[in-house]
Amino acid sequence: MMDLSRRNFYNNTITSHRDHYNFNHDNNNNNNLEEVYVMKLFIKKASNIIRFNDTFPYSFERAIYRVIVSDEKGREFSTTRRMGMPTPEWNEHIEICFESEPINQELTLMVIRENCYDDPGTSTGEKVVGRAIIPVPELNVRPKKDSVVELVKLVGVDEKRVEADISFLTLLNRVLLETN
């Protein structure tokens, strides 16, 4: 099994495919190539983020948000922190590498508000303001203009709609990597 972390697959910066990937798909005789699947997830923005069942007054001018994406293996990927209320914008690429084709797999997106130390119930200073589950796209299906999914929030044991959404684009490609 190839160590994918050494090739910066889990780096949240915007990178060129040509920096990391070998696009020679026709060379099946080379034993130094390994097939992987790379999903590009472009997180655009969240809309209508408001306080929902918050128990403590909160200053929205200092609201800091980020998006955490997790896959079915429990790996987590994160955007950078952004200020914004009620529409934080990230406009960031996250690349997720799969060793085999991720058929019927899903990702969990969580919008996190940070620096909530005054709010009872959080010891980490982070509070989930909404989450969504999105499917990993089919191989080589071009992204739509915008995918938008509504956010929900756990309140006790129930999921409540928060009347907010997050917009994103996804694309899954098969690539061959040199394994050296």
Side-chain angles (χ1 to χ4, degrees), residues 111 156 159 163:
V111 179
E159 284 189 349
E163 298 180 11

Side-chain angles (χ1 to χ4, degrees), residues 13-27:
T13 59
I14 299 172
T15 57
S16 163
H17 263 78
R18 301 210 184 273
D19 292 341
H20 298 290
Y21 310 127
N22 180 343
F23 284 95
N24 186 5
H25 294 288
D26 296 328
N27 189 356

Side-chain angles (χ1 to χ4, degrees), residues 1 7 23 28 35 40-41 46 56 63 93 98 110-111 115 117-118 122 128 130 132 160 180:
M1 177 180 290
R7 293 191 162 274
F23 284 95
N28 293 330
E35 180 179 86
K40 283 195 162 243
L41 173 62
F56 197 86
H93 285 281
F98 301 93
M110 293 185 296
V111 179
N115 298 334
Y117 293 106
D118 295 335
T122 177
V128 177
K160 302 280 186 179
N180 294 335

Side-chain angles (χ1 to χ4, degrees), residues 49-160:
I49 297 291
I50 58 173
R51 291 189 326 171
F52 181 74
N53 284 352
D54 283 340
T55 56
F56 197 86
Y58 187 73
S59 170
F60 291 127
E61 287 124 23
R62 297 176 299 153
I64 299 172
Y65 297 94
R66 67 185 169 116
V67 177
I68 296 177
V69 179
S70 58
D71 66 4
E72 292 181 353
K73 289 186 175 183
R75 299 180 299 171
E76 288 188 345
F77 310 86
S78 179
T79 63
T80 56
R81 293 164 173 85
R82 296 280 191 242
M83 293 182 93
M85 188 67 188
T87 308
E89 293 187 26
W90 293 274
N91 294 320
E92 286 185 42
H93 285 281
I94 294 175
E95 291 183 353
I96 302 172
C97 185
F98 301 93
E99 293 175 353
S100 59
E101 187 171 355
I103 298 171
N104 297 324
Q105 288 193 35
E106 296 176 327
L107 301 175
T108 302
L109 280 67
M110 293 185 296
V111 179
I112 307 289
R113 186 176 69 215
E114 297 191 352
N115 298 334
C116 301
Y117 293 106
D118 295 335
D119 194 351
T122 177
S123 60
T124 62
E126 297 180 343
K127 187 168 189 171
V128 177
V129 295
R131 65 184 181 90
I133 296 176
I134 63 168
V136 174
E138 294 179 23
L139 187 62
N140 294 323
V141 173
R142 289 289 155 206
K144 300 174 188 171
K145 274 193 161 198
D146 270 338
S147 294
V148 178
V149 65
E150 189 173 30
L151 297 173
V152 296
K153 181 177 179 177
L154 285 177
V155 179
V157 293
D158 298 324
E159 284 189 349
K160 302 280 186 179

